[in-house]
Amino acid sequence: MNIRKWLSLFFTTLIIGGAVGLVVGYLVEWRSYTDAIFDGKVVSFMISLATLFGTGCLFSILSQMGFFAYLTVHRIGLGMFGSASLWSKVQIVLIVFIFFDLVYFRYQAFATEHQSVLAYFILPAALLVVSMLTALWKKKETNHYAFVPTLFFMFVVTVIEWLPVLKPNDLRWIWIMGVTLITCNAYQVLILHRLIHKTDERTKEQKAL
């Protein structure tokens, strides 16, 4: 990937993150924002929207950092374990480990008396379903070797990026940050092979000249 493609990916992801953060943030507290409009607090309303957009942009940058960090870790993993098959098995084990850690530690930290542990399966299960759908899409557009790395990135890396709001258990920010991260991560992983393919084609054309 050349610099132009990377900058295009960066700014596109940035705008997507800002837009998603704005929309989800508004929907989470739509009543308070609607009341602000009816009360004539237009300036305050616009500042709030700008803040949500800026926050979404920050989350998108975090998503991009995680994405490029995983690309590095993925190459290291392939070299360390010697084969894509063994590295995939290691990633599957880590996915299972993170899934149950996310359930167990959140249950231990936030469960009220008589609250069932099943309630704490909802968030990781929903993330896993989205991750699997994204991985299946990636597999369809590329090859079957892309399934596990995509699943790992979408689940494990998203959880790591999500930790700042998962620990305080602030439901508002869990929604805003979670949806923004998932959207940005899915966009990056699904667009990457197209950018690389275009770059490879251009390189071949230049060599032909």
Side-chain angles (χ1 to χ4, degrees), residues 55-104:
T55 303
C57 289
L58 289 176
F59 292 157
S60 79
I61 293 173
L62 178 61
S63 166
Q64 294 185 64
M65 291 171 62
F67 181 57
F68 284 99
Y70 174 68
L71 291 179
T72 303
V73 170
H74 181 59
R75 301 309 304 178
I76 293 173
L78 288 173
M80 183 181 298
F81 293 99
S83 70
S85 176
L86 182 56
W87 173 227
S88 293
K89 292 175 183 177
V90 172
Q91 290 181 95
I92 290 171
V93 171
L94 290 174
I95 290 169
V96 174
F97 179 77
I98 294 297
F99 182 94
F100 284 103
D101 270 3
L102 189 57
V103 173
Y104 177 76

Side-chain angles (χ1 to χ4, degrees), residues 22-37:
L22 172 61
V23 172
V24 176
Y26 181 85
L27 292 176
V28 168
E29 292 191 351
W30 65 271
R31 184 165 296 175
S32 63
Y33 291 123
T34 303
D35 290 342
I37 295 174

Side-chain angles (χ1 to χ4, degrees), residues 112-208:
T112 57
E113 191 176 357
H114 306 304
Q115 188 176 20
S116 172
V117 69
L118 293 177
Y120 289 86
F121 274 89
I122 296 174
L123 187 147
L127 177 59
L128 185 61
V129 169
V130 173
S131 301
M132 291 186 71
L133 291 174
T134 305
L136 287 170
W137 191 347
K138 180 75 172 182
K139 175 184 174 182
K140 181 180 179 181
E141 293 198 351
T142 55
N143 55 67
H144 68 278
Y145 295 110
F147 179 82
V148 174
T150 303
L151 180 62
F152 182 90
F153 170 70
M154 286 299 301
F155 188 81
V156 175
V157 177
T158 298
V159 169
I160 294 172
E161 295 168 344
W162 211 354
L163 282 177
V165 296
L166 288 176
K167 287 182 178 179
N169 202 36
D170 187 329
L171 189 59
R172 174 176 179 259
W173 285 107
I174 285 177
W175 272 103
I176 297 172
M177 189 176 192
V179 176
T180 304
L181 288 175
I182 291 168
T183 304
C184 290
N185 284 345
Y187 171 75
Q188 290 178 98
V189 78
L190 291 174
I191 201 69
L192 180 65
H193 62 277
R194 299 177 186 178
L195 294 177
I196 293 175
H197 179 67
K198 288 179 180 179
T199 302
D200 289 343
E201 284 186 342
R202 180 168 296 178
T203 302
K204 290 179 180 178
E205 290 174 0
Q206 290 173 347
K207 286 182 177 179

